[in-house]
Amino acid sequence: MAGNSDLTVPVSISAGIHIGFIVILALGISFDDKPKQMQTAAASAPAVQAIVIDQQKVNDRVEQLKKQKQDVDKQEKARQAELERKASEARREREREQEKIKTLEIQRKQKEQETQKANDAAKAAQAKQVLEKERADKAEVVRKQKEQEQKASEDAAKKAAEKRKQEEAAAKKAQEERQRADDERKRKEDAERKRKAEADTKARQEREMAEAMAAEQDSLSKTRNKQVLSEVDKYKAMIIATIQRNLVVDESMRGKSCRVFIRLASDGFVTTSQTLDGDQVVCRAAKASINKAGRLPVSPEPAVYQQLKEINLTVSPEFN
């Protein structure tokens, strides 16, 4: 608008000048005579030339102004285009910002949701941990109670076992003391019985030996008076007499007998004695008598010993 204003003023001035000149020329031609007219025309020729020159200037100015206006319009269009471009860019930037803001808002909401979910999960996990801790604490309390009860039970069992062990030890000690006392008493009794038995045995052996010797002498005398015995019969009779001397008899044996087998060493030691048949009571007594004697009479004669080293005898208890 400023460019148009600048152009209008010179154009108006130039038009006004031209119109003024035309009016003046018209008036001059109408009221003066011809010489005056020629003079006036001659006089006004420079003025017309000046007007033409001015018109050229005006035209040049007008062209200049037009060019300036075009330049201004071009600059204005360029400025408007730049403004529109910047506005479009700003609009696109706003749209991008709005899209970004929208995206950020969506992301923010998603993050809020995720955060809420995470918080909810954390709260749930915390609640679960609290519940588990409570359960663990309760379980620990129960475990400790059971442990205390078990320890108390173990202590009681240990005390009971210790008491039982002490009682058993005391009972064992008492039993051992009683056993020692019994063993001592039994030992003393056995020793006394042994001494008495040894004394009785010795007295009996001495008595039996004396009686055997007397009986042997009597038997030999009787046998010798009845018949003449061979050496074998003699020693056989002596062996029987020895067995009879050591034979313990009672009334149940009366009229009964036992047949025995005897093996003798060269010195008369009994190496084997066996009961062959007969009354069991008599057989037991005969075997005991043979074992008690240990040695039986044998002849120093080898030929007689050969017939006596293995002999079978019949033992019949004799009653006076």
Side-chain angles (χ1 to χ4, degrees), residues 204 208 211 239-250 253 256-258 260 280-293 314-319:
R204 188 180 69 254
E208 288 176 351
E211 291 175 352
I239 291 171
I240 292 173
T242 302
I243 294 172
Q244 288 289 348
R245 281 198 309 269
N246 293 316
L247 189 65
V248 178
V249 300
D250 59 36
M253 299 179 184
K256 298 176 181 179
S257 64
C258 177
V260 297
Q280 292 183 356
V281 177
V282 177
C283 288
R284 283 196 297 271
K287 190 171 179 63
S289 175
I290 294 168
N291 292 334
K292 184 178 179 181
T314 298
V315 178
S316 297
E318 294 178 352
F319 292 87

Side-chain angles (χ1 to χ4, degrees), residues 292-304:
K292 184 178 179 181
R295 279 186 173 83
L296 296 175
V298 292
S299 172
E301 298 281 337
V304 176

Side-chain angles (χ1 to χ4, degrees), residues 184-210:
E184 183 65 20
R185 178 179 55 78
K186 185 177 180 181
R187 186 185 64 78
K188 290 180 179 179
E189 290 177 353
D190 291 342
E192 187 176 352
R193 281 196 298 270
K194 185 177 180 181
R195 285 195 299 270
K196 184 177 179 181
E198 289 176 351
D200 292 343
T201 300
K202 185 177 181 181
R204 188 180 69 254
Q205 287 177 346
E206 290 176 352
R207 184 176 63 255
E208 288 176 351
M209 186 176 292

Side-chain angles (χ1 to χ4, degrees), residues 125-143:
Q126 186 176 4
K128 185 178 180 181
Q129 289 179 353
V130 171
L131 182 60
E132 290 177 352
K133 187 175 184 303
E134 290 177 353
R135 291 177 179 173
D137 292 341
K138 290 180 180 179
E140 182 65 15
V141 171
V142 172
R143 186 189 65 78

Side-chain angles (χ1 to χ4, degrees), residues 214-229 320:
E216 185 176 354
Q217 292 296 327
D218 184 58
S219 177
L220 288 173
S221 298
K222 289 179 180 179
T223 302
R224 198 175 292 113
N225 291 332
K226 290 180 179 179
Q227 59 182 1
V228 177
L229 299 176
N320 295 326

Side-chain angles (χ1 to χ4, degrees), residues 63-64 77 87 95 154 158 164-165 168 171 174-175 181 194 201 207 222 254 271-272 275 287 311:
E63 291 297 327
Q64 185 181 3
K77 286 181 181 180
E95 289 176 355
E154 289 176 353
K158 186 176 180 181
R164 185 171 61 254
K165 185 176 179 181
E168 289 176 354
Q175 180 65 25
K194 185 177 180 181
T201 300
R207 184 176 63 255
K222 289 179 180 179
R254 188 178 292 275
T271 59
T272 303
T275 58
K287 190 171 179 63
I311 57 174

Side-chain angles (χ1 to χ4, degrees), residues 12 19 27 39 43 46 61 63 79 90 102 108 110 153 171 188 200 203 206 208 260 262 301 314 317:
S12 298
I19 292 170
L27 289 176
Q39 289 176 355
R61 181 61 180 167
E63 291 297 327
R79 188 178 68 82
K102 185 178 180 181
R108 184 187 65 78
Q110 289 178 348
S153 177
K188 290 180 179 179
D200 292 343
E206 290 176 352
E208 288 176 351
V260 297
I262 302 173
E301 298 281 337
T314 298

